[in-house]
Amino acid sequence: MKTTVLAMLLLASCILAACTRSSPNIQLVQADSLIQKFPDSALHFLQGIQPKGLHLAADRAYYALLLTQVKDKNFIHQTEDSLIRIAVQYYDSTKNTAMQARAHYYLGCIWRNKDDHPEALKEFFKAITYSKRIFDNSLTGHIYNNIAYLYYLQRLNEQADSIYQITEKLAILEKDSILWADALSQRGMINIRKGRECYQKAEEKILHAFNISCNMNQRSMIAKTAYSLSLLYGRMNMGEKAVEFAKLNINNQDNSNALDKAYLVLGDAYYKISQYDSASIYLNKSLHSEDHYTKAGAYMRLADIAKKQGLLEKALEMERKYSSYLDSAQQKQQSAEIVTAEKNILIQRKQSEFKANLDQVYYYIAIGIVIFLTLFLALWKRHKKEVINFKRKEIEINKQTEELLQQKNEQINFLQKEIALHNYSQTEKQILEEELYTLKTERQALLKESYEHSEVYVKMKRIIQSYKKTDKSSEYFDEEDWRQLIAETDIRWNNITIRLATKYPLSQDEIHLCCLYLTDIPTSHFRYIMECSRDAIYKKTKKILEQKMKYTNKSMSLRDILEKLL
């Protein structure tokens, strides 16, 4: 019974742990799934969620983002940024790149609604940085679309058109027909601004966008493209077509904020076909707009109508208002600020890239140092092992050589005694002497081998090789090395230096030179060991021969004389 109860308690704990939520609130996820296709339903759904009931910071941030996003989709004009900043601050602190992209994008949209285009631009560029990291082409396309629109509003037509082209490519890549239609329509509007020579291009692009919108049955985009076509046909003095598309714009308009411009373009279309009463009705409706360009456009047309109707005082009043609103609109122009903001953003981006590259350089330097040290340690250990093995082999070889030398010396001594003590026949003596000669030759070979494996001889070879390669050496012969050379020479040549010192008044330096002459090292290399010129070696040799040994026969070399003494 106890076991059953314990098992049930354990199962309950596991279920409780599994139910402890680490993923987003399920209601918020459902709302997120509705936003794209059913933004009005998503708004109603989110409004039914009580923010006070969201206890986790993650849920509050998600809710703030979704509510801002869904209001934007429903064309609700938002200028208050306190809500979206909850999302921005949270996602910036958690480094959630995907959500950072969305949060900064919608913060940019609010700055756009507040007509602070430089600040909007800053947020849009931040959002692009994050969206590119996660390869979200759809969001990147919409951000570019907004950036291009800001440039368009500030009449920076070339910059706007180049970015709309990027938006087009991303829209085609993502098969986002609505975004594609929007970019095409805006590019057509830019061509309208360029003048009559670009009207045909404008018509092609806007009609293409209009057809896409109709095929998708997307009312807001039908309204937008119809507005552009009405404006274009009005410029082309095709008044009937201008009226047709202006009405289509109003009939499909979901965004109440855009109705004022729709009334202006319809009023302008009626003006073009001389229906001044209808024109005046819609032009006056458009005066409710808060946009100064819209009001300026309406007053300009109303002034024209008043002139045609002979109402000069009214026309003058309309013209004054037209001038006033046009001045106000131009004063609000932020082109310079936009360009400055863009430059600052580029500078910041370059600085960030430089810092990132610098960090990367530091990283690679650190990795390089680690790899270098690892290789160095590995090679040093290998070298040390090789040196140890070499020295061990040298010791073994020297030991074997010494043992062989000892054996040869014992054999030589034995044979010498045998020859001296016993009366052998001439033939037997000759055999023993030949054997003795062979033993002496073998002993001399062993002595030579031992000599050439000595540390001092190996060091001489290293110094000479270094001079031959680089004309310098980090090693040199010190007093201890000379003493060692004399000792090795005496071992090999039966105490030759002692006999030389006894027979001739040679200096220590001259003894050193004689030791070098008894090696197989070329005379031209003596200067590397003795650290003097070849001429100095020649003079010392001549002095030993002529002054110390009293040899005047120039055919005899010091090497020849030393070999005679061996």
Side-chain angles (χ1 to χ4, degrees):
M1 183 67 180
K2 287 182 179 179
T3 306
T4 306
V5 171
L6 185 61
M8 289 178 68
L9 287 172
L10 184 61
L11 180 62
S13 299
C14 291
I15 293 169
L16 183 63
C19 292
T20 302
R21 184 171 52 80
S22 59
S23 58
N25 184 298
I26 190 66
Q27 288 180 296
L28 298 177
V29 173
Q30 288 174 348
D32 199 353
S33 67
L34 290 171
I35 287 175
Q36 295 302 327
K37 290 187 177 180
F38 308 103
D40 52 344
S41 300
L43 178 60
H44 180 73
F45 189 85
L46 282 168
Q47 286 173 336
I49 297 173
Q50 293 298 322
K52 292 180 180 178
L54 302 172
H55 302 295
L56 297 178
D59 289 343
R60 290 193 293 274
Y62 196 18
Y63 175 81
L65 174 60
L66 292 178
L67 190 57
T68 305
Q69 182 178 351
V70 79
K71 284 182 178 180
D72 187 78
K73 292 288 182 184
N74 282 283
F75 306 108
I76 296 172
H77 194 72
Q78 302 176 85
T79 56
E80 177 56 51
D81 62 358
S82 57
L83 188 65
I84 190 60
R85 285 196 182 278
I86 295 170
V88 169
Q89 289 169 7
Y90 177 77
Y91 294 125
D92 280 348
S93 66
T94 58
K95 306 297 182 185
N96 186 332
T97 307
M99 302 304 269
Q100 278 179 293
R102 288 171 66 180
H104 281 283
Y105 169 61
Y106 284 105
L107 179 56
C109 290
I110 288 176
W111 282 117
R112 177 201 63 200
N113 295 343
K114 292 164 75 171
D115 289 329
D116 193 335
H117 297 167
E119 287 300 321
L121 199 65
K122 288 178 187 177
E123 295 303 322
F124 287 144
F125 273 112
K126 283 181 186 177
I128 276 185
T129 302
Y130 297 126
S131 66
K132 283 183 175 179
R133 285 182 194 171
I134 57 171
F135 305 102
D136 189 341
N137 289 328
S138 178
L139 180 57
T140 303
H142 283 87
I143 299 168
Y144 272 127
N145 200 43
N146 272 271
I147 291 171
Y149 183 63
L150 293 181
Y151 285 132
Y152 171 79
L153 288 177
Q154 298 304 318
R155 301 184 178 275
L156 299 169
N157 297 323
E158 295 302 323
Q159 294 94 319
D161 189 64
S162 64
I163 296 175
Y164 275 128
Q165 288 180 49
I166 297 171
T167 306
E168 268 195 75
K169 290 176 184 177
L170 291 169
I172 294 167
L173 182 67
E174 290 297 306
K175 298 179 180 178
D176 189 337
S177 299
I178 303 305
L179 181 60
W180 186 20
D182 196 10
L184 279 170
S185 176
Q186 287 300 122
R187 290 192 69 198
M189 291 291 285
I190 291 168
N191 280 318
I192 291 173
R193 282 182 177 176
K194 288 180 179 179
R196 190 170 297 278
E197 67 276 8
C198 294
Y199 284 169
Q200 186 177 350
K201 286 183 181 179
E203 186 179 22
E204 288 173 3
K205 292 185 186 301
I206 301 169
L207 279 175
H208 191 181
F210 178 73
N211 291 331
I212 292 171
S213 306
C214 291
N215 290 335
M216 296 291 295
N217 196 27
Q218 177 60 246
R219 292 189 66 213
S220 61
M221 192 52 62
I222 291 171
K224 185 169 185 175
T225 51
Y227 170 86
S228 300
L229 286 168
S230 177
L231 189 67
L232 174 63
Y233 290 133
R235 298 280 183 90
M236 295 171 73
N237 295 317
M238 300 169 67
E240 296 296 337
K241 274 194 168 186
V243 171
E244 177 191 344
F245 281 103
K247 287 179 178 178
L248 192 63
N249 169 28
I250 291 172
N251 292 336
N252 287 276
Q253 193 60 255
D254 290 329
N255 184 359
S256 59
N257 296 320
L259 273 174
D260 297 328
K261 286 185 178 181
Y263 292 141
L264 173 61
V265 79
L266 180 56
D268 187 67
Y270 276 126
Y271 170 82
K272 292 290 174 64
I273 59 173
S274 302
Q275 294 186 22
Y276 300 133
D277 290 340
S278 297
S280 296
I281 290 168
Y282 288 105
L283 289 170
N284 279 298
K285 279 188 176 185
S286 70
L287 291 174
H288 295 292
S289 174
E290 293 181 0
D291 179 63
H292 288 190
Y293 274 116
T294 302
K295 284 189 174 184
Y299 280 121
M300 182 185 72
R301 282 291 175 240
L302 287 169
D304 290 342
I305 292 170
K307 282 180 184 177
K308 290 181 184 294
Q309 293 175 340
L311 303 170
L312 297 180
E313 286 188 16
K314 186 178 180 181
L316 287 171
E317 179 64 23
M318 295 297 106
E319 284 182 354
R320 278 196 295 270
K321 288 184 177 181
Y322 160 70
S323 298
S324 175
Y325 280 109
L326 184 63
D327 289 342
S328 297
Q330 288 173 346
Q331 285 172 10
K332 289 179 70 177
Q333 198 78 12
Q334 298 171 331
S335 302
E337 289 87 344
I338 284 278
V339 172
T340 303
E342 185 180 32
K343 284 180 180 178
N344 291 335
I345 290 164
L346 289 172
I347 290 168
Q348 289 172 7
R349 183 177 289 179
K350 289 294 180 185
Q351 288 174 341
S352 298
E353 288 175 2
F354 176 75
K355 187 176 181 300
N357 290 337
L358 197 61
D359 291 341
Q360 198 172 29
V361 168
Y362 287 148
Y363 171 77
Y364 285 128
I365 288 172
I367 293 294
I369 290 170
V370 170
I371 293 170
F372 172 77
L373 289 174
T374 304
L375 288 172
F376 176 78
L377 287 172
L379 291 171
W380 182 75
K381 284 182 179 179
R382 182 179 174 182
H383 174 71
K384 191 175 180 182
K385 188 176 180 181
E386 288 176 353
V387 169
I388 291 168
N389 289 335
F390 177 76
K391 287 185 176 180
R392 188 184 295 119
K393 287 179 182 178
E394 285 289 314
I395 291 168
E396 289 175 1
I397 290 169
N398 289 335
K399 188 177 179 182
Q400 290 173 2
T401 305
E402 286 175 5
E403 287 175 356
L404 286 170
L405 275 170
Q406 188 175 354
Q407 289 176 11
K408 296 298 177 186
N409 286 330
E410 288 174 356
Q411 290 173 353
I412 288 168
N413 290 333
F414 175 77
L415 280 174
Q416 285 175 337
K417 287 178 181 178
E418 282 290 308
I419 292 169
L421 292 173
H422 296 89
N423 293 319
Y424 290 106
S425 65
Q426 192 66 30
T427 304
E428 288 173 332
K429 273 188 178 183
Q430 188 175 355
I431 292 169
L432 288 172
E433 283 176 354
E434 285 176 358
E435 187 178 345
L436 181 62
Y437 177 79
T438 302
L439 287 170
K440 285 182 177 181
T441 303
E442 289 174 354
R443 182 183 69 173
Q444 197 61 33
L446 287 169
L447 285 169
K448 182 182 179 183
E449 185 178 352
S450 176
Y451 178 78
E452 289 178 350
H453 281 87
S454 66
E455 287 186 18
V456 67
Y457 185 83
V458 171
K459 185 174 181 178
M460 279 195 294
K461 287 288 186 181
R462 282 202 308 271
I463 292 170
I464 291 166
Q465 287 300 318
S466 179
Y467 269 104
K468 286 169 73 175
K469 286 182 179 179
T470 62
D471 202 30
K472 61 181 179 179
S473 174
S474 59
E475 294 182 289
Y476 64 93
F477 249 53
D478 55 22
E479 289 300 319
E480 181 58 34
D481 292 322
W482 286 116
R483 280 194 289 272
Q484 186 65 31
L485 179 62
I486 290 169
E488 293 291 342
T489 304
D490 283 340
I491 290 170
R492 184 179 177 186
W493 302 114
N494 193 23
N495 297 320
I496 182 68
T497 64
I498 296 171
R499 288 184 281 127
L500 281 170
T502 304
K503 190 172 182 181
Y504 305 109
L506 300 175
S507 66
Q508 195 69 25
D509 197 42
E510 290 167 342
I511 293 289
H512 295 163
L513 183 57
C514 290
C515 289
L516 291 175
Y517 270 107
L518 290 170
T519 66
D520 59 352
I521 295 171
T523 310
S524 59
H525 293 165
F526 289 179
R527 59 195 175 95
Y528 302 141
I529 308 300
M530 299 193 76
E531 296 181 340
C532 61
S533 65
R534 293 180 68 173
D535 188 55
I537 297 291
Y538 171 76
K539 287 178 179 178
K540 286 182 181 180
T541 304
K542 187 178 180 183
K543 183 180 178 182
I544 293 170
L545 284 169
E546 295 179 357
Q547 296 181 21
K548 301 294 178 75
M549 294 183 172
K550 306 298 181 182
Y551 277 92
T552 55
N553 185 359
K554 292 184 179 181
S555 62
M556 292 285 287
S557 67
L558 182 56
R559 171 79 182 190
D560 296 333
I561 295 167
L562 291 172
E563 285 181 350
K564 281 186 176 182
L565 294 171
L566 297 177

